[in-house]
Amino acid sequence: MKTISTAKSHGGVQGVYSHRSEACDCDMTFAVFVPPQAKKAPCPVVWYLSGLTCTHQNVMDKGEYRRVAAEAGLIVVCPDTSPRGEGIPDEKDNWQFGSGAGFYLDATQEPFAKNYRMYSYITEELPALIKENFPTDMDRQAIFGHSMGGHGALTIALKHPERFKSCSAFAPIANPMTAGWSKPAFEKYLGADESSWREYDACALIEDGHRFTEFLVDQGKADGFLDDGLRPWLLEAACKDAGIPLTLRMRDGYDHSYFFISTFMEDHLRWHAERVVL
Amino acid sequence: MKTISTAKSHGGVQGVYSHRSEACDCDMTFAVFVPPQAKKAPCPVVWYLSGLTCTHQNVMDKGEYRRVAAEAGLIVVCPDTSPRGEGIPDEKDNWQFGSGAGFYLDATQEPFAKNYRMYSYITEELPALIKENFPTDMDRQAIFGHSMGGHGALTIALKHPERFKSCSAFAPIANPMTAGWSKPAFEKYLGADESSWREYDACALIEDGHRFTEFLVDQGKADGFLDDGLRPWLLEAACKDAGIPLTLRMRDGYDHSYFFISTFMEDHLRWHAERVVL
């Protein structure tokens, strides 16, 4: 692991790091905030998964998470959203596929299967690296994310209910296998057989029997992607049928941007802190 | 005035606007945050002046000011740092002069005198535009800034003590007319006669009899520009001689970045709020 930069912020340290990823077969960059409490004892880890087009940097710059993370004693890990670089297959003018659009799945189709393995990266390779290099208490983890990263958080929590004490999302893609802006990506990454898409779709995972203790979701009512991409009502229906408690807050006037995310970041971090801090 | 974008954030509205500036003879862009309180009554105005290389956007993205501004009921205005665009004289590879480096002064030397008039822009033209277009109480104004913008805030407050109820700075350039990284700019904008530089230098203005009620300054001890560019001890000495109360806080481990600024943004805004909110 290589340190790209570190800076003191809110009493803790915001760092950016890179490493050679085996899962993605390329160099990957990520950001980690370590709160001041970590000088005395290992801290809980909160994973933030970003949305389409983002890197680790968008939330690091605009997410406004450090103040509350420093107060509550949370390590916040912000990974990239896809493999990147020369030799990585991409569709240059398509922001919904390829670079910045890994969808937190393991691709099975060529030429993507070699690099687009964000599910393995986020659930196996990066946690091992974080555990080795930071003062973490990996028995206390939470996960959240935005948009495509909200989808990532929900699906990863549903598949690892024993690992995460809490899961929340800002404007998640509730049902990506049927949404206009993600279905083409699922087909290219996973092939034509839609049954294989279900393990990367929150609503389908719930239908197929996966469970999680509870979810918190904030969604802006003025979000331009609400009807075609996000559709939180599908998650609401799936949770209701399955008996999973879901707090879905529809927020008047808020859009899909970090102006929205940063507004409710404190709420989410405090909600996670209640569940992971001893 | 043209609206470029607006987004709801922390209950208020973060907007970006542009207009034709007479002072700078070009189009200028700026950001304004209007807190929710403005629906009911005019709100105090806090001016944030940015540092070298910045536009309105750096602090808008990374300054973390909206939460507290929304709580305290403050309008926050974030102007650009220089004229920009085709036909504006510039030194392309020099980040300490020209675009992004207006130094909040009115240039007198050719070819800069026509456009580089940020002092007039910030003290006359933009306040008139803000007053006309936003629900402001212009009898309650505060000013602060970072680095070159800290210099701007200090000098403008010293020259308009009746206008501003408070002034603070993050890592300001205390004495730009003698600092290695700003002296060449002063010479190019203002000519060889150094006596004309004094009205744009906080330490010189204080020596020359200008006064302000009090200043608050935060400065990171790990700031790489401390010795050559910033030198807050010169401001400290000038304030001491003049009997101006200065709270100078040297912060262990903090650098010159927005990771530093955002850490102490809340402190500064609450300090201003105590002085401008009724």
Side-chain angles (χ1 to χ4, degrees), chain B residues 49 104 119 122-123 143 151-160 164:
Chain B
L49 304 184
Y104 304 102
Y119 180 76
I122 298 290
T123 61
I143 190 164
H151 141 72
L154 294 170
T155 53
I156 288 172
L158 283 163
K159 294 168 81 172
H160 299 275
F164 298 103

Side-chain angles (χ1 to χ4, degrees), chain A residues 6-12 14 57 60-67 251-255 257-260 262-264 266, chain B residues 6-12 14 57 60-67 251-255 257-260 262-264 266:
Chain A
T6 61
K8 189 170 177 181
S9 191
H10 292 277
Q14 177 65 64
Q57 194 169 350
M60 184 177 83
D61 285 351
K62 300 190 277 191
E64 304 192 13
Y65 57 79
R66 281 176 290 274
R67 180 181 58 89
R251 300 291 194 174
D252 258 342
Y254 285 93
D255 65 17
S257 72
Y258 272 95
F259 294 119
F260 155 67
S262 62
T263 299
F264 301 107
E266 174 163 6
Chain B
T6 60
K8 189 170 179 182
S9 190
H10 291 278
Q14 177 65 63
Q57 195 169 351
M60 183 176 83
D61 285 352
K62 300 190 277 191
E64 305 191 13
Y65 57 79
R66 281 176 290 274
R67 180 181 57 89
R251 300 292 194 172
D252 259 341
Y254 285 93
D255 65 17
S257 72
Y258 272 94
F259 294 119
F260 155 66
S262 62
T263 299
F264 300 107
E266 173 162 7

